[in-house]
Amino acid sequence: VPGAAVGIVKDGELVYASGFGVGKLGSDAPVTPDSVFQMSSVAKTPTAIAIMQLVADGKIDLDAPVTKYLPYFTLTDPDVGEVTIRRLLSHTAGMPDPINWLAEYQDKNLRNDKAALDDYVRSLSDKSLTFRPGKEWAYSNTGFDILGDVVAQVSGQAFEDYLQANVLTPLGMENSSYLLSDLDPVRLVAPHMPDKNGNAKTIDFYPYTRAHAPSGAFYSSVNDMARFAVANLNQGTLDGTRVLPASAYDKMWAPQATSSWAENFGPQVTSYGLGWWVGEFKGHRIIGNYGADFGSQSHLGLFPDEGLAVIALVNLFDPDVGSLYAYDIGNGIAEVLLGAEAKPTPQP
């Protein structure tokens, strides 16, 4: 791993933050708690908070069909009216996930204008549901992109502008954005993948596409994510600023469906709420979100009953290999902090 950053929050304070390694191989610029990483699927949690803000304002009904807010949303299926906001938030809508991430990232003509998200949602008209909404669970990035378009249409703002004005700026997340163009390039770490010999190499493209900002194009640092963690552990408030009613957490953190991922990733992903994983870790309740994309990984684990949060960010990932280093680092730190017996490292 070329570089990593770690943060630990306890009882409303960032009690540990450090960087390790470098932001880019060949550079001597160290990773710090202000280094900006691609957060990939952790992006879904601020998107969910934006939806819940609009629910609290009476502008969105969780159980309304998405067509109430996006009249142009259509699929080949006749039961598209059963695709509701709640089901999109909980991955129970049956939405497909037809995104070819690598092709989009490497497309030199990829659109990153304001209309890219809305046009992507409109382009889904020839896609079909993978199951009847509400009957099963299946992870869908596309579902959260649709939610981002709902945020834009209901608020009258570009998705990224709404998130900046209503989540990131109020929480003092100064080095965070859904727009790559808004980031300080000096702080931005480079993405890396292992080569055929297993050695890390900087990849020749940056994984960004505005059409999928709500599901994966979010960028942040340990220091900023610590503020985000504290706000959520405080159930929507930070430094006297409230971004979400406390009652919203009763909905977001309530399991909506059993996921199919626990077999591979452990009991901390047993269930999915509304934009958050809900599970158990070493006998403790954990609420979190975890991301991995070409060249980077992210881990955000909240332990509400202990007032604890762990953040781990890494600038290396290969989807074909799938070693989840940020997940392992975050979980390993949590084991130590929670007093669990650490597993011995296997000896060669």
Side-chain angles (χ1 to χ4, degrees), residues 114-345:
K114 181 179 177 180
L117 171 60
D118 187 64
D119 286 349
Y120 170 69
V121 172
R122 291 174 186 267
S123 77
L124 298 170
S125 60
D126 63 344
K127 308 302 180 187
S128 59
L129 294 169
T130 59
F131 56 82
R132 183 176 176 184
K135 298 301 180 182
E136 298 179 41
W137 181 92
Y139 197 85
S140 174
N141 291 287
T142 296
F144 270 76
D145 293 333
I146 294 168
L147 289 168
D149 199 27
V150 170
V151 169
Q153 297 303 325
V154 171
S155 69
Q157 298 177 258
F159 167 78
E160 298 92 343
D161 291 344
Y162 180 91
L163 266 289
Q164 192 68 52
N166 294 277
V167 179
L168 306 181
T169 296
L171 294 181
M173 299 173 69
E174 297 179 353
N175 294 312
S176 300
S177 180
Y178 278 83
L179 279 172
L180 187 61
S181 58
D182 282 357
L183 299 171
D184 180 353
V186 175
R187 298 183 189 274
L188 191 64
V189 304
H192 301 81
M193 291 174 61
D195 61 20
K196 62 182 180 181
N197 297 315
N199 299 312
K201 64 175 182 178
T202 306
I203 57 178
D204 59 2
F205 62 89
Y206 198 87
Y208 173 73
T209 166
R210 193 167 179 181
H212 308 303
S215 66
F218 175 47
Y219 306 87
S220 192
S221 66
V222 157
N223 281 338
D224 278 7
M225 289 307 297
R227 296 185 64 81
F228 186 74
V230 172
N232 284 286
L233 288 170
N234 289 342
Q235 299 206 320
T237 186
L238 178 67
D239 297 339
T241 297
R242 178 165 291 282
V243 295
L244 200 61
S247 59
Y249 289 83
D250 295 335
K251 300 181 179 72
M252 288 197 302
W253 291 357
Q256 302 288 315
T258 300
S259 87
S260 58
W261 286 16
E263 182 177 347
N264 292 324
F265 301 112
Q268 70 195 76
V269 293
T270 296
S271 302
Y272 203 88
L274 301 178
W276 294 86
W277 291 98
V278 180
E280 176 269 335
F281 182 83
K282 306 298 179 182
H284 300 265
R285 180 169 64 118
I286 183 172
I287 310 292
N289 216 326
Y290 321 101
D293 202 347
F294 289 90
S296 62
Q297 303 174 43
S298 55
H299 175 104
L300 172 65
L302 308 185
F303 297 87
D305 302 327
E306 289 75 25
L308 174 69
V310 178
I311 303 149
L313 310 175
V314 168
N315 62 352
L316 173 79
F317 185 67
D318 181 351
D320 292 332
V321 176
S323 297
L324 298 174
Y325 300 118
Y327 195 64
D328 293 341
I329 291 169
N331 288 341
I333 291 170
E335 275 196 53
V336 174
L337 296 175
L338 295 169
E341 182 179 350
K343 296 179 182 177
T345 302

